[in-house]
């Protein structure tokens, strides 16, 4: 216990002092020629599956990690189906390359099992492997009993090296691919990170998945998978021990995703042993989990929309029709989403409660978005050329597709945007750590969000908006500094620029979430810029967009309902004019008219289902800024 | 009389044993895709391509399905479904789900039920997992490329390796319907203020690709039209149009992209080589494997013959 406590202290010291110092040391000399002290937005995708993920290969994905990175950099890749000669019948290429990407294949492929299954390997003929192959049930107990004592089997050698070596091939290839794609020289064209996905789930198949992203090449020799660490708590402990404390210069972040499918299990306030989370637990979690995916291929996790919360209609955006994945596959398990499923607005509020209760907010999460592509196509977010991230897709050629290329409820996913000085690993990693990040549902909207107490009303007209934003407060992801007077209310400066290849912006909102004295949660959505009634619309029979919006929007806004004693968070949401969803574009291309059943071809039945939402409003979500009352 | 008979018997036994040892191992059967599988494949093809498969494509689809059957059979013969925890877990889960009468705590009973139901051959996830395991075993050691091979690859990939052109400049932005006129006016006053733009005013060594992504295609096209001669670039040039409005540009410099040196991309090339090598190892393995299997027509399938003919080559 004592040893563990000292490790925790060391970890906290590392996070609080050593790591920032390393960061400063790493980012001080600008190696990139394109460097900006006021930071630049870099667009990327931190959630990418290739052929090494079981659920990708089952759908015919043959893209390797190396090819996925090449795709992110602008090269064309082949997409299933494949001909007898191994030629793809479809292909895909990004109109605009990404600035960074992370291949995050499921880690549950690696381990001792690989060794026992590989003839000629060092331990293949060991008695343990013979037991393993001949009597798997006995081996299961044997492996687990030994592992539960923190030991390895005798076949692994005294220090376990043999087993660790055995699982390296795939993991090494993933690392090599990331290394080969990284452009760390003066050009700084593209950054890759070494990463993987920890594919955790509860007994009722609620999603606990998390992506693990390493700062540099200092990584554990094998990824810590759900098999190795069968709970999030164990994952954090192992990462702390085996990376932060175990390897010099190893640094890591954990990014949860699809809390919308977590049945409320993603952000629990108790430990594995059932006892309430302690301040130390919360610190460890906050140290590793700095960001969360607010949206991706499998829906938005921002906020719940339904009978219990119908005020914010924009929460209906890409909301899945079920609360767990089991509900997708088995009708009798299907339940509609519930307010307490793990949507982020409520989870952030729970963080505020925990802050009051134990003194540390474990859920201080910034926002990013990504694709979760399972065809190895990072950044393929276009609604107009969506081939399906699950693989059962349509050709991108001139032929009219015959059906929907993906399940109706899924979408092309989004992008992660990081405000960093330069495009290299240290700079981008630090942006993730300080949560100066935001997510978009696909468009390359530029968004800045600062919070402070004394911004001038003319800030938006100032050419040095960013410099004054930093000087007068904190950027997105930060904590508001102490107010200059007890009667002050916080101000927020928000500025957004449309995607140069996208449609106009409609409006900017600031969402405030807070708790009152007895812990009850509240939220308000403020319209702060643009015009929600600008008349912009889309013709769903042609997808023709009508009406104008805004090229850029900027506002300095002061919270009119501020109460100094109540903890709160604020984030900005930028909304584009309405447009056709990917599914509607394909329905129209196939001539579907829901009033005429004869026009509904094979695979297009979903076009006319009640669940189909033909119109969307693409958007960006800033990371929150937190206000914590003085103790 | 007895002795010659013994010798004869012994000789016969030795001959039989020798012939048996010299003969190739018995081939294992692999089932050709049945009518239902063929129907599913063709239906999926229509979904994915928007048209009916041609006869050649139909044969290729069936051959591919047959190859998958063979790989699954090989994986099963090697016992991978028993030893791999992922495949095993999936089979137990499926059996428990399909047969509610099973003792949910008795995994051995579930395992036997899974095998009775033939789930190890029919469940798509297990099938893919088994093939994936085989592939990992076969192509995990791609070997080392020779220097000559790497240099040849370098030559082949010159176009993809070339760095993009890069631009450095200072900009002033003019928004709104009168942006063009204001920009023109601003150009003549020496130090125009312009409007704020989130992307900033100074840009150093930014690639054309990044500029396209940030400002739009027209902006980069506009930059290409401006002078990079010393005198002209000291003053304000433009206006240049972007997705946001109009821009005056000063101090424009353009660096043409170079092809990086062989040494600087050696690792990247090696990675590409290994990727191709793994693919080749896998195809070679499949070719070899076909010598150990023979195709059995599915009972209900007229198409089995076509599948067989499509697989005649490797079989």
């Amino acid at each position: 216990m004592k040893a563990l406590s000292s490790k925790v202290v060391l970890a906290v010291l590392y996070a609080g002092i050593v790591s920032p110092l390393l960061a400063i040391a790493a980012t001080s000399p600008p190696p990139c020629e394109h460097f900006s002290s006021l930071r630049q937005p870099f667009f990327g995708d931190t959630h990418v599956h290739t052929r090494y993920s079981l659920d990708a290969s089952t759908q015919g994905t043959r893209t390797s990690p190396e090819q996925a990175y090449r795709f992110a950099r602008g090269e064309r890749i082949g997409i299933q189906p494949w001909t007898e000669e191994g030629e793809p019948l479809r292909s895909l290429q990004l109109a605009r390359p990404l600035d960074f990407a992370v291949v995050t294949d499921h880690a549950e492929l690696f381990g001792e099992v690989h060794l026992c299954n590989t003839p000629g390997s060092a331990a293949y003929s060991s008695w343990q492997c013979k037991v393993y192959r001949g009597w798997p049930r006995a081996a299961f107990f044997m492996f687990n009993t030994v592992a539960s004592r923190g030991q390895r089997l005798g076949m692994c050698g005294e220090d376990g090296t043999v087993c660790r070596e055995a699982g390296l091939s795939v993991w090494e290839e993933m690392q090599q691919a990331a290394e080969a794609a990284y452009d760390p020289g003066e050009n700084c064209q593209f950054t890759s990170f070494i990463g993987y996905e920890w594919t955790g789930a509860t007994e009722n198949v609620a999603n606990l998945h998390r992506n693990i992203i390493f700062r540099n090449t200092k990584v554990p020799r094998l990824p810590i998978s759900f098999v190795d660490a069968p709970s999030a708590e164990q994952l954090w402990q192992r990462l702390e021990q085996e990376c932060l404390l175990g390897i010099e210069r190893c640094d890591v972040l954990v990014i949860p995703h699809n809390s919308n499918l977590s049945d409320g299990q993603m952000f629990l306030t108790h430990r594995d042993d059932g006892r309430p989370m302690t301040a130390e637990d919360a610190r460890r979690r906050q140290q590793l989990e700095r960001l969360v995916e607010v949206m991706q291929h499998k829906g938005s996790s921002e906020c719940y929309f339904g009978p219990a919360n119908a005020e914010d209609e924009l929460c209906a955006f890409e909301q899945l029709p079920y609360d767990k994945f089991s509900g997708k596959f088995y009708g009798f398990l299907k339940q509609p989403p519930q307010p307490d499923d793990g949507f982020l607005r409520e989870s952030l509020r729970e963080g505020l409660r925990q802050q009051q209760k134990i003194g540390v907010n474990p859920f201080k999460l910034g926002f990013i978005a990504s694709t979760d592509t399972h065809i190895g196509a990072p950044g393929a977010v276009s609604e107009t050329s969506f081939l399906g991230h699950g693989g059962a897709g349509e050709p991108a050629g001139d032929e009219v597709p015959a059906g929907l290329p993906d399940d109706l409820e899924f979408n092309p996913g989004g992008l992660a945007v990081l405000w960093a000085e330069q495009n290299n690993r240290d700079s981008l990693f630090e942006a993730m750590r300080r949560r100066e990040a935001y997510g978009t549902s696909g468009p390359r909207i530029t968004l800045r969000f600062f919070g402070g107490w004394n911004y001038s009303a003319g800030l938006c007209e100032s050419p040095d908006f960013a410099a004054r934003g930093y000087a007068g407060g904190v950027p997105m992801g930060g904590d508001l500094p102490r107010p200059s007077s007890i009667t002050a209310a916080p101000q927020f400066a928000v500025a957004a620029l449309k995607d140069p290849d996208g449609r106009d912006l409609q409006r900017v909102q600031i969402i405030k979430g807070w708790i009152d004295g007895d812990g009850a949660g509240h939220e308000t959505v403020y319209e702060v810029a643009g015009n929600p009634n600008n008349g912009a619309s889309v013709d769903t029979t042609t997808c023709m967009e009508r009406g104008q919006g805004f090229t850029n929007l900027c506002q300095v806004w002061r919270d009119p309902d501020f109460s100094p004693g109540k903890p709160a968070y604020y984030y900005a949401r930028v909304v584009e004019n309405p447009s056709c969803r990917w599914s509607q574009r394909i329905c129209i291309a196939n001539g579907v008219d829901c009033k005429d059943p004869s026009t509904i071809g094979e695979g297009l039945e979903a076009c006319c289902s009640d669940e189909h939402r033909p119109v969307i409003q693409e958007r960006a979500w800033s990371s929150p800024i937190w206000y914590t009352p003085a103790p | 009389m007895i002795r010659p008979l013994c010798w004869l018997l012994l000789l016969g036994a030795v001959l039989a044993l020798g012939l048996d040892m010299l003969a190739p191992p018995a081939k294992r059967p692999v089932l050709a895709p049945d009518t239902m599988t063929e129907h599913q494949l063709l239906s999926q093809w229509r979904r994915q391509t928007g048209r009916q498969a041609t006869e050649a494509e139909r044969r290729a689809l069936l051959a591919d399905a047959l190859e998958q059957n063979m790989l699954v059979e090989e994986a099963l013969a090697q016992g991978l479904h028993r030893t791999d925890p992922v495949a095993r877990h999936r089979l137990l889960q499926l059996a428990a789900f399909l047969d509610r009468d099973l003792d949910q705590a008795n995994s051995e009973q579930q395992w036997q039920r899974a095998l009775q139901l033939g789930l190890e051959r029919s469940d798509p996830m297990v099938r893919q997992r088994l093939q994936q395991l085989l592939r990992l075993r076969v192509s995990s050691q791609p070997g080392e490329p020779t220097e000559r091979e790497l240099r040849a690859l370098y030559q082949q990939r010159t176009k993809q390796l070339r760095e993009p052109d890069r631009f450095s400049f200072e900009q002033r932005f003019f928004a709104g319907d009168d942006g063009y006129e204001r920009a023109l006016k601003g150009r003549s006053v020496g130090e125009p203020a312009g409007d704020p733009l989130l992307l900033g005013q100074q840009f150093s060594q930014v690639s054309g690709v990044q500029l396209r992504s940030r400002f739009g295609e027209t902006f980069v096209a506009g930059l290409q039209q401006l002078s990079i001669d010393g005198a002209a670039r000291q003053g304000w040039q433009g206006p240049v149009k972007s997705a946001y409005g109009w821009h005056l540009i000063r101090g424009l410099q353009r660096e043409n992209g170079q092809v990086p040196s062989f040494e600087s991309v050696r690792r990247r090339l090696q990675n590409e080589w290994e990727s191709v090598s793994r693919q080749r190892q896998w195809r070679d393995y499949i070719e070899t494997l076909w010598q150990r299997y023979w195709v059995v027509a599915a009972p209900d399938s007229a198409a089995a013959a076509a599948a067989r003919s499509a697989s005649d080559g490797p079989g």
Side-chain angles (χ1 to χ4, degrees), chain A residues 82-85, chain B residues 54-65 310:
Chain A
W82 304 84
T83 66
E84 191 179 9
E85 290 75 33
Chain B
T54 63
E55 180 54 26
E57 286 162 345
R58 189 184 72 88
R59 280 204 304 271
L61 284 171
L62 289 170
D64 188 52

Side-chain angles (χ1 to χ4, degrees), chain A residues 512-523:
Chain A
K512 176 187 178 185
W514 78 97
I515 56 169
D516 58 26
D518 57 7
H522 305 276
E523 65 188 46

Side-chain angles (χ1 to χ4, degrees), chain A residues 297-298 322 325 328 406-411 581-582:
Chain A
H297 173 52
K298 292 193 279 289
Y322 37 80
F325 240 142
K328 175 177 175 59
D406 210 330
D407 294 336
L408 180 70
E409 70 270 30
F410 295 153
N411 72 83
R581 192 174 188 260
W582 67 270

